[in-house]
Amino acid sequence: MVYRITFIPGDGVGPEVAEATRRVLEATGVQFQWDDAVIGSQAQERFGTLLPESALESIKRNKVAIKGPVTTPIGSGFRSVNVALRKQLDLYACLRLCKTYTGVHTPYKNVDIVVVRENTEGLYSGIEFAKDSPETAELLEFVARTTGEKIRRDSAVSLKVASYMASRRIVKFAFEYARQNGRKKVTAVHKANILKFSDGLFLNTAREVAKEYGDIEFTDMLLDATCMQLVKRPEQFDVLVLPNFYGDFISDLCAGLVGGLGVAPGANIGNDMAIFEPTHGSAPDIAGQNRANPMAMMLSGVMMLRYLGERGSADRLERAIVEVIAEGKSVTSDLKDDPNDSSAVGTSQVADAVIEKLLMPPARRTA
Ligand code: NAD
């Protein structure tokens, strides 16, 4: 079988980590046909828009894409090209895997947390009212009339939206992921004690969905308590499911627990479409220097292989990456004890080392 995949290199360090990832994916022996697409500044230059229809059409056709990070130019009119892409394709679940690997410097051991973040609404609904606008004045009047609450006239307002439909589908996604991947527990994170209606709806919906999954334990935890428990005893968590805004920073917190952005893979998934991409951004400070760590994007490639049903190849590629990290020789400077260590290798050499491991007979492997 040949998989047709939309390949978006992105910009900044994107093309470097994307090419390294393409090479290791091909070395697994799985057959790919790559459909190259551009978004972001390159698309702006070529097509006059940051998010061209040709890229969207390619993803809709192929249903699966792998993507490098994309810079959002300041003052572009887009809040973020990435957010716009997820919204247009209704990729409602942001999935981040945060796992400690031997060889990555972190005080934590045995962390293996899956973060499932709602991607489409919450505080990032994109509905905002500017200070001093006529719409804001109308809104403040409506609030005063219906609740008796007087909001100061010099306010700006951002809406936090939680629907039953979006809450239900994200919690179902978390439970389905848990069931299909041998996970034992789902924890819904919220502030329903304060936000009684929006987070209350999220929590009640999570409780309702949990009843459909008797084989998986369900708990809920307040956001503030979760932050403290993640730092104190992260190994107690398995799958976390969160509304959009909380999911944004809890997924970065979890990436920090396991050693940072260089090893944090991710995916944005909808009903029948998915884009796999590293958590990190375009890292303009090190772009074009062959210094970017490609592991996060390679591990996103592992997630893509699992999504495609190629579990054997996914396991082999993950093992090869884990062995390279554990040996600590062919790794980029961010994975060295001393970031100035001159033995650090470049992005493409990491790919060479992973490919060498992949092609090595199991008996000769070290880790
Ligand atoms: P960033 O993740 O690009 O960089 C933060 C720090 O981490 C930098 O010091 C960088 O050098 C380092 N870093 C990041 N990736 C690395 C890697 N693979 N190897 C080694 N070091 C790495 O975050 P930022 O600077 O806040 O964002 C830069 C741009 O990226 C912004 O325009 C932002 O909008 C965009 N961004 C895009 C995505 C995406 O495409 N999904 C995600 C986040 C940020």
Side-chain angles (χ1 to χ4, degrees), residues 6-37:
T6 301
F7 182 79
I8 305 170
D11 52 46
V13 296
E16 299 163 65
V17 294
E19 193 47 40
T21 301
R22 172 151 52 184
R23 287 178 53 215
V24 300
L25 283 169
E26 285 176 348
T28 63
V30 175
Q31 301 285 305
F32 295 103
Q33 196 180 343
W34 305 106
D35 197 359
D36 291 345

Short mmCIF file of all heavy atoms in Angstrom, two decimals, residues 6-37:
data_model
loop_
_atom_site.label_atom_id
_atom_site.label_comp_id
_atom_site.label_asym_id
_atom_site.label_seq_id
_atom_site.Cartn_x
_atom_site.Cartn_y
_atom_site.Cartn_z
N THR A 6 0.07 14.71 2.54
CA THR A 6 0.43 16.11 2.29
C THR A 6 1.64 16.46 3.16
O THR A 6 1.63 16.21 4.37
CB THR A 6 -0.76 17.03 2.63
OG1 THR A 6 -1.87 16.65 1.81
CG2 THR A 6 -0.41 18.50 2.37
N PHE A 7 2.66 17.00 2.50
CA PHE A 7 3.92 17.29 3.19
C PHE A 7 4.14 18.81 3.19
O PHE A 7 4.31 19.42 2.15
CB PHE A 7 5.06 16.58 2.45
CG PHE A 7 6.41 16.74 3.07
CD1 PHE A 7 6.78 15.97 4.17
CD2 PHE A 7 7.33 17.65 2.56
CE1 PHE A 7 8.03 16.11 4.76
CE2 PHE A 7 8.58 17.79 3.13
CZ PHE A 7 8.93 17.03 4.23
N ILE A 8 4.09 19.41 4.40
CA ILE A 8 4.23 20.86 4.53
C ILE A 8 5.50 21.15 5.33
O ILE A 8 5.53 20.98 6.56
CB ILE A 8 2.99 21.46 5.25
CG1 ILE A 8 1.70 21.06 4.53
CG2 ILE A 8 3.11 22.98 5.36
CD1 ILE A 8 0.42 21.38 5.29
N PRO A 9 6.58 21.57 4.67
CA PRO A 9 7.84 21.76 5.40
C PRO A 9 7.78 22.91 6.41
O PRO A 9 8.48 22.88 7.42
CB PRO A 9 8.86 22.07 4.30
CG PRO A 9 8.18 21.76 3.01
CD PRO A 9 6.71 21.81 3.24
N GLY A 10 6.94 23.92 6.13
CA GLY A 10 6.90 25.09 7.01
C GLY A 10 8.07 26.02 6.75
O GLY A 10 8.73 25.93 5.71
N ASP A 11 8.38 26.90 7.73
CA ASP A 11 9.51 27.81 7.53
C ASP A 11 10.38 27.83 8.79
O ASP A 11 10.17 27.04 9.69
CB ASP A 11 9.01 29.22 7.14
CG ASP A 11 7.96 29.73 8.10
OD1 ASP A 11 8.16 29.62 9.32
OD2 ASP A 11 6.92 30.26 7.65
N GLY A 12 11.36 28.74 8.83
CA GLY A 12 12.31 28.71 9.95
C GLY A 12 13.06 27.39 9.93
O GLY A 12 13.57 26.98 8.87
N VAL A 13 13.06 26.66 11.06
CA VAL A 13 13.73 25.35 11.09
C VAL A 13 12.87 24.27 10.43
O VAL A 13 13.31 23.12 10.29
CB VAL A 13 14.09 24.90 12.53
CG1 VAL A 13 15.10 25.84 13.16
CG2 VAL A 13 12.84 24.76 13.40
N GLY A 14 11.65 24.63 10.05
CA GLY A 14 10.71 23.65 9.50
C GLY A 14 11.29 22.77 8.40
O GLY A 14 11.28 21.54 8.52
N PRO A 15 11.83 23.39 7.31
CA PRO A 15 12.33 22.56 6.22
C PRO A 15 13.42 21.58 6.66
O PRO A 15 13.49 20.45 6.15
CB PRO A 15 12.89 23.59 5.22
CG PRO A 15 12.09 24.84 5.51
CD PRO A 15 11.84 24.82 6.99
N GLU A 16 14.25 21.98 7.64
CA GLU A 16 15.34 21.09 8.08
C GLU A 16 14.78 19.88 8.84
O GLU A 16 15.15 18.74 8.56
CB GLU A 16 16.31 21.86 9.00
CG GLU A 16 16.98 23.04 8.31
CD GLU A 16 17.58 24.02 9.31
OE1 GLU A 16 18.52 23.64 10.02
OE2 GLU A 16 17.10 25.18 9.40
N VAL A 17 13.88 20.14 9.81
CA VAL A 17 13.36 19.02 10.60
C VAL A 17 12.39 18.17 9.77
O VAL A 17 12.29 16.96 9.96
CB VAL A 17 12.71 19.49 11.94
CG1 VAL A 17 13.75 20.09 12.85
CG2 VAL A 17 11.56 20.45 11.73
N ALA A 18 11.71 18.82 8.82
CA ALA A 18 10.76 18.08 7.98
C ALA A 18 11.51 17.12 7.05
O ALA A 18 11.10 15.97 6.86
CB ALA A 18 9.90 19.05 7.17
N GLU A 19 12.61 17.60 6.47
CA GLU A 19 13.36 16.73 5.56
C GLU A 19 13.97 15.55 6.32
O GLU A 19 13.94 14.40 5.84
CB GLU A 19 14.46 17.56 4.85
CG GLU A 19 15.10 16.88 3.66
CD GLU A 19 14.10 16.23 2.68
OE1 GLU A 19 13.04 16.81 2.40
OE2 GLU A 19 14.39 15.09 2.22
N ALA A 20 14.48 15.81 7.52
CA ALA A 20 15.04 14.73 8.35
C ALA A 20 13.95 13.70 8.65
O ALA A 20 14.19 12.49 8.61
CB ALA A 20 15.60 15.31 9.65
N THR A 21 12.75 14.19 8.89
CA THR A 21 11.63 13.30 9.22
C THR A 21 11.20 12.49 8.00
O THR A 21 10.94 11.29 8.09
CB THR A 21 10.45 14.13 9.77
OG1 THR A 21 10.90 14.83 10.92
CG2 THR A 21 9.26 13.26 10.13
N ARG A 22 11.14 13.16 6.86
CA ARG A 22 10.77 12.45 5.64
C ARG A 22 11.75 11.28 5.40
O ARG A 22 11.35 10.17 5.08
CB ARG A 22 10.80 13.42 4.45
CG ARG A 22 10.62 12.72 3.13
CD ARG A 22 10.00 13.49 2.02
NE ARG A 22 10.51 14.78 1.65
CZ ARG A 22 9.93 15.54 0.70
NH1 ARG A 22 8.86 15.10 0.08
NH2 ARG A 22 10.41 16.72 0.40
N ARG A 23 13.03 11.54 5.62
CA ARG A 23 14.04 10.49 5.37
C ARG A 23 13.84 9.29 6.30
O ARG A 23 13.91 8.15 5.87
CB ARG A 23 15.44 11.07 5.55
CG ARG A 23 15.84 11.99 4.39
CD ARG A 23 17.21 12.59 4.63
NE ARG A 23 18.20 11.58 4.89
CZ ARG A 23 19.24 11.72 5.73
NH1 ARG A 23 19.42 12.84 6.38
NH2 ARG A 23 20.08 10.74 5.92
N VAL A 24 13.59 9.55 7.61
CA VAL A 24 13.45 8.40 8.53
C VAL A 24 12.14 7.65 8.26
O VAL A 24 12.09 6.43 8.39
CB VAL A 24 13.58 8.78 10.03
CG1 VAL A 24 14.95 9.41 10.31
CG2 VAL A 24 12.47 9.67 10.52
N LEU A 25 11.09 8.40 7.87
CA LEU A 25 9.82 7.72 7.56
C LEU A 25 10.01 6.79 6.36
O LEU A 25 9.53 5.65 6.36
CB LEU A 25 8.71 8.74 7.28
CG LEU A 25 8.13 9.43 8.51
CD1 LEU A 25 7.24 10.61 8.11
CD2 LEU A 25 7.31 8.44 9.36
N GLU A 26 10.73 7.27 5.34
CA GLU A 26 10.95 6.43 4.16
C GLU A 26 11.81 5.21 4.52
O GLU A 26 11.61 4.13 3.97
CB GLU A 26 11.60 7.26 3.05
CG GLU A 26 10.58 8.19 2.41
CD GLU A 26 11.16 9.10 1.35
OE1 GLU A 26 12.41 9.20 1.24
OE2 GLU A 26 10.35 9.75 0.65
N ALA A 27 12.73 5.39 5.47
CA ALA A 27 13.62 4.28 5.85
C ALA A 27 12.88 3.16 6.58
O ALA A 27 13.41 2.07 6.74
CB ALA A 27 14.77 4.80 6.71
N THR A 28 11.65 3.43 7.04
CA THR A 28 10.89 2.35 7.72
C THR A 28 10.42 1.31 6.71
O THR A 28 10.02 0.22 7.10
CB THR A 28 9.62 2.90 8.43
OG1 THR A 28 8.75 3.47 7.45
CG2 THR A 28 9.96 3.92 9.51
N GLY A 29 10.44 1.66 5.42
CA GLY A 29 9.97 0.72 4.40
C GLY A 29 8.51 0.94 4.03
O GLY A 29 8.03 0.41 3.04
N VAL A 30 7.79 1.74 4.83
CA VAL A 30 6.41 2.08 4.47
C VAL A 30 6.48 2.95 3.21
O VAL A 30 7.36 3.81 3.08
CB VAL A 30 5.72 2.83 5.63
CG1 VAL A 30 4.33 3.31 5.22
CG2 VAL A 30 5.63 1.95 6.87
N GLN A 31 5.55 2.72 2.27
CA GLN A 31 5.60 3.45 1.00
C GLN A 31 4.77 4.74 1.08
O GLN A 31 3.59 4.68 1.46
CB GLN A 31 4.99 2.59 -0.11
CG GLN A 31 5.69 1.26 -0.31
CD GLN A 31 7.02 1.45 -1.03
OE1 GLN A 31 7.06 2.02 -2.11
NE2 GLN A 31 8.09 1.00 -0.41
N PHE A 32 5.41 5.85 0.76
CA PHE A 32 4.71 7.14 0.77
C PHE A 32 4.79 7.80 -0.59
O PHE A 32 5.79 7.69 -1.29
CB PHE A 32 5.37 8.10 1.78
CG PHE A 32 5.28 7.65 3.20
CD1 PHE A 32 6.38 7.09 3.84
CD2 PHE A 32 4.09 7.78 3.91
CE1 PHE A 32 6.30 6.66 5.15
CE2 PHE A 32 4.00 7.35 5.23
CZ PHE A 32 5.11 6.80 5.85
N GLN A 33 3.72 8.52 -0.91
CA GLN A 33 3.78 9.44 -2.04
C GLN A 33 3.51 10.82 -1.45
O GLN A 33 2.43 11.03 -0.86
CB GLN A 33 2.71 9.05 -3.05
CG GLN A 33 2.95 9.70 -4.39
CD GLN A 33 1.87 9.30 -5.38
OE1 GLN A 33 1.14 8.33 -5.19
NE2 GLN A 33 1.77 10.07 -6.44
N TRP A 34 4.48 11.71 -1.53
CA TRP A 34 4.36 12.99 -0.85
C TRP A 34 3.73 14.03 -1.77
O TRP A 34 4.13 14.19 -2.92
CB TRP A 34 5.74 13.50 -0.39
CG TRP A 34 6.49 12.51 0.46
CD1 TRP A 34 7.56 11.75 0.07
CD2 TRP A 34 6.22 12.16 1.83
NE1 TRP A 34 7.99 10.95 1.12
CE2 TRP A 34 7.18 11.19 2.21
CE3 TRP A 34 5.27 12.56 2.76
CZ2 TRP A 34 7.22 10.61 3.48
CZ3 TRP A 34 5.32 12.00 4.03
CH2 TRP A 34 6.27 11.04 4.38
N ASP A 35 2.76 14.73 -1.22
CA ASP A 35 2.09 15.78 -1.96
C ASP A 35 2.55 17.10 -1.32
O ASP A 35 2.07 17.48 -0.25
CB ASP A 35 0.58 15.56 -1.75
CG ASP A 35 -0.25 16.28 -2.77
OD1 ASP A 35 0.33 16.97 -3.62
OD2 ASP A 35 -1.49 16.17 -2.69
N ASP A 36 3.55 17.76 -1.92
CA ASP A 36 4.16 18.94 -1.29
C ASP A 36 3.20 20.13 -1.31
O ASP A 36 2.58 20.41 -2.33
CB ASP A 36 5.47 19.31 -2.00
CG ASP A 36 6.55 18.25 -1.75
OD1 ASP A 36 6.36 17.44 -0.82
OD2 ASP A 36 7.56 18.25 -2.47
N ALA A 37 3.10 20.82 -0.17
CA ALA A 37 2.23 22.00 -0.09
C ALA A 37 2.91 23.06 0.77
O ALA A 37 3.74 22.74 1.62
CB ALA A 37 0.89 21.61 0.53
#
